[in-house]
Amino acid sequence: NISTDSKPADVFFLYIIALCYPFGSALQAISLAVVFIGFVFRFFRQKTNPFHLLRGPLVTATFCSMGLIIWNIAATYINPRNDFRDTVTYFLGYCPLIFLPWFTSAGRGLTSDQMERFEKTVAVVVFLWGLICFTQGLWPWHLHGISFVLGGLPRSQGFYSHPLTLAYAGLLLWPYSIRRLLSRPEGWEGWALSIGVALIIIFSLSRMILLLALLCLFLNLPLLVAKKIRIWLCGAILCFLAITAISQNRVSDRFANLFRHENPENFSSYFDDRLVFWQAHALMILERPILGHGVGLDVAYRRYYYERLGLADFKRQYEAHNQYLQILTAGGLIGFAFFLGWLMSIFQLASNQ
């Protein structure tokens, strides 16, 4: 929100979240906790009643997100096979994500000058983050704790634990970076932001994230670009994609692996290992379709369902790698209903703005 006045604390909290975003889940959790506590103290100091902020889609979003977390905990306890009991940590870990939108709606918003400075800062941070991913793609390296380690996966992971997590983080920034660049191409901020996010997504080498990023780009072009310029942009993008597809590079190799008789990335006879994950979790969903299995479903818990598929020795007895299946597995149809309510409220909040 753009406002005529804004307290320094509001800006401070925003910078904490933005600057910690590239540094993985541990630092993100710490930054969210700090901001969450800061907002709570602000309410007490200002003697503001936060409940008057709950209106419209924000009511649904808060209710459904809280309902999903509480129901997942309940599903854990009523499942006799699930011995996960660290539910307090689970609840506290999600609390900031539940309440932060609620608290931030009480802010007075940034002034135009503050918004401009904030955008510049984010653009620089994301551009440098993209350069780091670029170097990892050319010369693989990663951080292990606080140690610098050469080698490892031939995919960029930034300061995250896995390339796919990095890809998700980049995808969250991609729609805004596209809109910022195409709506105001004269400023360097949009270019720096878009180039940084593009480097993150490309060098993470996640096929699905690359396809989603392209889809997002093509869907936004008609909305933000004039017809003549749109034709030239589409032509340039298609030429770039064609060159990428016919040349020897890591991106084309990743997609080509899907169609090779012996896919070096697969550890099963399936077209893609992700299909194994989905089938194993489909068995779990069918077993407890209404209530779900709860949270904390580790490898030991999942092994039984992979064994039912005849894959007892399968190396990748992973989670679903699909948000909808994972939520159905944990919370059943009850948890899934909470999730859909939250998702629809988020779309409604976005459309209202």
Side-chain angles (χ1 to χ4, degrees):
N1 295 330
I2 303 298
S3 175
T4 54
D5 64 339
S6 182
K7 295 191 174 183
D10 296 337
V11 182
F12 176 69
F13 291 147
L14 198 58
Y15 274 95
I16 289 177
I17 294 176
L19 294 175
C20 290
Y21 188 64
F23 293 100
S25 57
L27 196 55
Q28 286 175 14
I30 294 171
S31 68
L32 278 175
V34 169
V35 173
F36 177 72
I37 293 169
F39 274 117
V40 170
F41 274 109
R42 190 185 70 177
F43 275 120
F44 280 110
R45 189 175 64 251
Q46 295 178 349
K47 297 181 179 179
T48 305
N49 178 12
F51 292 100
H52 79 276
L53 303 170
L54 284 176
R55 56 183 179 271
L58 199 57
V59 179
T60 309
T62 305
F63 171 77
C64 288
S65 55
M66 179 66 78
L68 175 61
I69 304 308
I70 292 175
W71 174 251
N72 281 347
I73 293 173
T76 304
Y77 281 98
I78 61 179
N79 180 2
R81 290 190 54 239
N82 192 341
D83 57 1
F84 180 78
R85 291 297 178 265
D86 195 13
T87 51
V88 174
T89 304
Y90 172 80
F91 179 79
L92 292 176
Y94 278 98
C95 265
L97 297 177
I98 296 169
F99 290 110
L100 268 177
W102 180 15
F103 287 150
T104 53
S105 65
R108 302 185 183 184
L110 303 179
T111 64
S112 297
D113 290 339
Q114 287 174 326
M115 189 64 184
E116 185 177 346
R117 287 196 296 271
F118 180 69
E119 279 191 333
K120 292 180 187 297
T121 303
V122 170
V124 171
V125 169
V126 173
F127 182 74
L128 294 176
W129 188 13
L131 288 181
I132 288 170
C133 295
F134 175 72
T135 64
Q136 288 179 325
L138 297 182
W139 309 282
W141 63 270
H142 65 280
L143 291 181
H144 183 72
I146 58 173
S147 303
F148 180 85
V149 180
L150 288 173
L153 291 171
R155 300 168 58 186
S156 299
Q157 62 189 71
F159 300 115
Y160 287 78
S161 59
H162 193 275
L164 194 54
T165 317
L166 173 72
Y168 291 149
L171 187 64
L172 287 172
L173 296 174
W174 183 240
Y176 175 75
S177 65
I178 291 174
R179 188 172 184 84
R180 178 65 176 81
L181 175 62
L182 296 180
S183 59
R184 286 183 284 168
E186 68 281 357
W188 63 267
E189 298 90 341
W191 290 97
L193 188 62
S194 299
I195 291 171
V197 178
L199 290 173
I200 291 168
I201 291 175
I202 291 171
F203 285 96
S204 71
L205 295 179
S206 170
R207 291 179 291 244
M208 184 57 69
I209 300 301
L210 284 165
L211 291 174
L212 288 172
L214 279 173
L215 179 64
C216 180
L217 177 59
F218 280 113
L219 288 176
N220 274 276
L221 282 175
L223 301 175
L224 300 171
V225 180
K227 186 175 181 179
K228 287 185 178 180
I229 301 176
R230 191 191 317 157
I231 294 172
W232 283 102
L233 278 176
C234 287
I237 293 169
L238 291 173
C239 287
F240 174 76
L241 292 176
I243 293 170
T244 302
I246 63 176
S247 62
Q248 186 73 25
N249 57 77
R250 290 181 181 176
V251 175
S252 61
D253 284 346
R254 283 277 290 166
F255 282 95
N257 282 341
L258 286 172
F259 305 99
R260 287 177 179 146
H261 179 65
E262 293 186 3
N263 186 346
E265 300 174 2
N266 266 12
F267 292 87
S268 70
S269 59
Y270 286 66
F271 176 73
D272 187 86
D273 282 350
R274 196 177 298 248
L275 299 176
V276 185
F277 311 155
W278 294 353
Q279 191 170 353
H281 283 76
L283 292 176
M284 298 171 71
I285 293 167
L286 291 173
E287 187 178 275
R288 298 177 67 87
I290 307 297
L291 304 178
H293 293 257
V295 295
L297 307 178
D298 56 12
V299 176
Y301 191 96
R302 297 192 298 268
R303 184 173 295 117
Y304 166 72
Y305 302 94
Y306 282 94
E307 289 174 352
R308 286 177 58 183
L309 296 174
L311 296 169
D313 299 324
F314 182 51
K315 292 177 63 176
R316 292 179 167 179
Q317 296 181 1
Y318 289 172
E319 296 90 348
H321 278 58
N322 180 298
Q323 190 68 46
Y324 300 101
L325 289 179
Q326 195 68 50
I327 289 173
L328 277 166
T329 302
L333 289 174
I334 296 175
F336 192 66
F338 280 120
F339 175 72
L340 288 182
W342 173 82
L343 195 62
M344 288 188 289
S345 67
I346 295 299
F347 280 121
Q348 189 177 352
L349 280 168
S351 62
N352 289 346
Q353 297 180 26

